[in-house]
C-alpha cells in the first residue's frame, strides 16, 4: 500500500477500466473512508448513492454528456448534499424551525465533496482508479427525477471507480501549476495566468500559447456543457431556496 503523500502525488483520473469487479469488502472499505472525512458539526450533510442498476448507470452516462465509460464502470457513486434528513428531524422537534437556505446548501456541498476525496484516496490506496464526473451538475431536473431526490437533496459530484486499464496506468499525469503560483500568503494578489500556463504546459511561443488558450476556452468555457451546467446549477439553487418562500 502506498504512503499517503506518494498516493496523492501520483493519483490521476481514470476513464478506462479492466474487467475486474471491485470486491464487496473493498467497496465497504472505500465507502467507510468517506464517512471518516471531516464534516460540519459531525452532521454528515450528505448521502452517497451507490448506483448498481445498469439502466441507471446508462441513464447517467447519457445525461452526463454521453460518456460511455460511466455505464461500464464497476462502481458509480453519486454524492448528494443532503439537508433533508436534518430538516425533517428539526421540523418534528420544532414546527416553526427555519428552512434550509443557500448557506446550508454550500455547507452540505462542502461536506459531500470532502467525503468524496476521502473515497478517492482510499480507492487509490487499494489500486482502484477513479474519475470525478462534474457533468452530474447538468440536467438537474432530470437527475432529480432519475434518482428520486427529495427537497433539500441535490447532486454534488459523481465518482466512477475501477481497476485502471494498462493504457490508463501508463498514461502520464497532466502537469499541475507551480506551488508558488497557487499558494499566496495572507492576502490575494493578482497572478499572470498566461505565465502560469507557460510553466505548466511548456508552450513558450506567443502564437502557440494564444492558440492553446483559444482552444481551451472553446472546449471548456464556451462549450454547451458549461452553459447547461450554469443553467442547471441556478435551477438547483432556485429549487432549494423555493422552500423558504412556501
Amino acid at each position: 500500500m502506498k504512503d499517503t503523500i506518494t498516493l496523492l502525488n501520483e493519483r490521476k483520473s481514470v476513464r478506462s477500466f479492466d474487467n475486474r469487479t471491485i470486491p464487496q469488502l473493498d467497496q465497504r472499505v472505500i465507502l467507510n473512508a468517506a464517512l471518516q472525512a471531516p464534516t460540519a458539526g459531525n452532521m454528515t450533510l450528505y448521502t452517497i448513492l451507490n448506483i448498481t442498476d445498469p439502466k441507471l448507470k446508462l441513464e447517467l452516462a447519457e445525461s452526463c454528456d454521453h460518456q460511455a465509460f460511466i455505464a461500464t464502470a464497476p462502481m458509480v457513486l453519486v454524492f448528494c448534499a443532503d439537508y433533508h434528513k436534518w430538516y425533517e428531524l428539526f421540523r418534528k422537534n420544532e414546527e416553526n424551525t427555519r428552512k434550509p437556505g443557500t448557506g446550508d446548501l454550500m455547507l452540505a456541498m462542502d461536506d459531500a465533496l470532502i467525503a468524496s476525496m476521502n473515497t478517492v484516496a482510499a480507492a487509490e490506496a487499494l489500486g482502484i482508479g477513479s474519475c470525478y464526473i462534474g457533468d452530474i451538475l447538468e440536467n438537474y431536473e432530470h437527475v432529480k427525477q432519475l434518482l428520486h431526490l427529495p427537497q433539500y437533496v441535490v447532486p454534488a459530484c459523481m465518482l466512477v471507480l475501477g481497476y485502471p486499464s494498462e493504457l490508463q496506468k501508463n498514461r502520464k499525469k497532466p502537469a499541475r501549476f507551480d506551488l508558488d503560483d497557487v499558494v499566496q500568503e495572507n492576502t490575494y494578489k493578482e497572478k499572470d495566468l498566461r505565465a502560469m500556463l507557460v510553466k505548466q504546459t511548456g508552450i513558450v511561443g506567443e502564437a502557440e500559447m494564444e492558440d492553446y488558450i483559444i482552444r481551451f476556452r472553446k472546449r471548456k468555457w464556451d462549450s454547451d456543457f458549461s452553459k447547461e451546467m450554469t443553467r442547471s446549477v441556478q435551477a438547483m439553487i432556485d429549487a432549494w431556496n423555493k422552500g423558504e418562500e412556501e
Side-chain angles (χ1 to χ4, degrees):
M1 191 173 290
K2 297 178 183 177
D3 72 82
T4 304
I5 301 302
T6 299
L7 180 152
L8 294 174
N9 284 333
E10 293 183 354
R11 187 266 165 191
K12 59 191 175 188
S13 295
V14 174
R15 296 178 178 85
S16 176
F17 309 103
D18 66 22
N19 295 324
R20 284 179 290 169
T21 60
I22 301 174
Q24 287 295 318
L25 179 59
D26 285 350
Q27 291 193 36
R28 290 190 64 83
V29 168
I30 291 168
L31 291 167
N32 185 64
L35 296 182
Q36 307 313 311
T39 170
N42 199 27
M43 295 173 75
T44 312
L45 297 171
Y46 58 88
T47 290
I48 305 170
L49 301 181
N50 185 9
I51 309 299
T52 59
D53 184 340
K55 291 182 180 179
L56 268 182
K57 285 186 180 181
L58 184 59
E59 284 271 7
L60 288 168
E62 286 300 306
S63 65
C64 292
D65 282 333
H66 315 290
Q67 298 183 79
F69 74 96
I70 297 171
T72 58
M75 196 172 180
V76 176
L77 303 175
V78 178
F79 287 75
C80 297
D82 179 5
Y83 234 107
H84 175 78
K85 53 181 178 274
W86 281 102
Y87 176 61
E88 290 301 311
L89 177 67
F90 293 154
R91 189 167 65 166
K92 290 175 183 176
N93 180 259
E94 170 54 61
E95 184 178 354
N96 295 320
T97 192
R98 72 171 180 86
K99 295 177 180 179
T102 308
D104 301 303
L105 170 59
M106 295 298 102
L107 197 62
M109 282 284 192
D110 285 348
D111 258 22
L113 294 171
I114 293 167
S116 74
M117 193 59 219
N118 260 32
T119 306
V120 165
E124 192 75 15
L126 294 171
I128 297 167
S130 60
C131 182
Y132 276 98
I133 309 296
D135 304 281
I136 193 67
L137 294 176
E138 296 179 54
N139 303 300
Y140 165 68
E141 298 87 349
H142 176 68
V143 173
K144 178 182 174 68
Q145 182 179 34
L146 186 67
L147 302 179
H148 302 285
L149 305 182
Q151 179 74 356
Y152 305 126
V153 178
V154 298
C157 69
M158 183 162 72
L159 280 176
V160 296
L161 303 100
Y163 295 99
S165 65
E166 286 302 316
L167 183 64
Q168 290 290 296
K169 287 180 183 178
N170 297 326
R171 183 178 65 86
K172 185 178 179 181
K173 178 176 180 175
R176 297 325 198 220
F177 285 127
D178 282 359
L179 186 65
D180 291 340
D181 284 333
V182 177
V183 179
Q184 303 189 21
E185 188 170 357
N186 295 325
T187 58
Y188 188 91
K189 302 172 185 65
E190 293 290 341
K191 286 282 186 177
D192 184 348
L193 182 54
R194 193 185 187 100
M196 291 167 59
L197 285 169
V198 169
K199 286 189 284 183
Q200 182 194 41
T201 64
I203 299 172
V204 293
E206 285 291 324
E208 290 83 356
M209 177 53 69
E210 187 66 22
D211 180 64
Y212 176 86
I213 294 170
I214 290 171
R215 287 187 287 108
F216 195 90
R217 172 176 55 78
K218 289 180 177 179
R219 189 173 77 252
K220 294 291 185 180
W221 187 259
D222 290 334
S223 63
D224 289 340
F225 85 80
S226 182
K227 294 171 184 175
E228 165 55 22
M229 188 176 294
T230 296
R231 183 212 65 80
S232 180
V233 170
Q234 187 61 59
M236 182 189 301
I237 294 170
D238 291 345
W240 181 283
N241 286 330
K242 185 179 179 182
E244 295 180 328
E245 302 166 2
E246 294 174 346

